[in-house]
Amino acid sequence: MTLSRRHFIITAAGAAAASAFAQAAFADLPKLAKKETYKVGFAQTESNNPWRLAQTASMQDEAAKRGWQLVYTDAAGSAAKQVSDVNSMIAQGVDLIFLAPREEKPLIPAIFAARDAGIPVILLDRSVDATLAKPGVDYVTFIGSDFIEEGKRVGDWLVANANGKSKILELEGTTGSSPANDRKKGFDDVIAANSGFTILASQSGDFARDKGRQVAETLLQAHPDADVIYAHNDEMAIGAISAIEAAGKVPGKDILILSIDGGKEIVQLIIDGKVAAACECSPLFGPKAYDTAVAYAAGDTIPGKLINPDRFYDATNAKESLAAAY
Ligand code: AHR
């Protein structure tokens, strides 16, 4: 039997073999022909927050501006649906797929399937397990923020501005997703290196406002001495505000709130004094995503990662930054 990458079940045990096989057997990425216009796919992971809506709008607006046909799918928070969305794009014969993989591992077979079908994939905003699939080998490149750096910047801000606060509750993003893994690593490493700070508890709120509120409520009951909440995104930070108020405490005074995303709502909450600081994670991928596809078609060498620059907001710059926040 001839082996294809579809034969590898993506488990920890199969990971090394799958990666080695991928590199040995598929040294050439599918090419993108030079054309006036393209039919491309954008496989979105969910649409349950302003960040995702801004990302989708940016991708749709840019396609319309260029006169490209965009096949858009929304996986509604299901990695399994996202895999079948990619398979459907392959069946429709798109020229290239932009993929925002919900989690690091389950989308790997879909990337392999696109590649086997001769369709290049560009990862947007979230990445996949680097031991299983590689840029320049299995997909063209990753475009997005440096999530480890985002977590580190929030941790560094806390260490420099804690004002006596030190007992932290962490609201993690979607389990198994690259932003949750990396934002945790970046922040937790800073905290581990600063002995006065403790992470009392860390639990997933799935990047969602109401789940973030529920988890914050439970953690605040279990840890009434907590005085910092670090949320991996704005939605959970906003949910945490409701939980803090429901516990009879004052956000921004009794409990410092730190966030990542930096949308308009959170920048306004910094101005209002309820949120202490937020690292931006820009969702505006459209121009860069399509420019990268054009550069790839032109035969340019595309780096394995194209990192977006992120701003940082706190009380010192929130007012002047509000208009520019997404
Ligand atoms: O992958 C980026 C993250 O995903 C954003 O921080 C979050 O809001 C979104 O759902």
Side-chain angles (χ1 to χ4, degrees), residues 231-243:
H232 287 190
N233 81 341
D234 287 359
E235 287 297 287
M236 295 189 296
I238 293 165
I241 291 175
S242 305

Side-chain angles (χ1 to χ4, degrees), residues 45-46 48-49 51-52 124-126 147 150 174 178-179 183 206-207 232-235 260-261 281 326:
T45 175
E46 57 208 351
N48 63 345
N49 73 44
W51 194 98
R52 289 281 146 205
L124 287 191
D125 102 70
R126 292 190 185 178
F147 295 134
E150 289 177 343
T174 299
S178 61
R183 288 171 184 170
D206 203 18
F207 281 132
H232 287 190
N233 81 341
D234 287 359
E235 287 297 287
I260 296 178
D261 273 358
C281 178
Y326 71 89

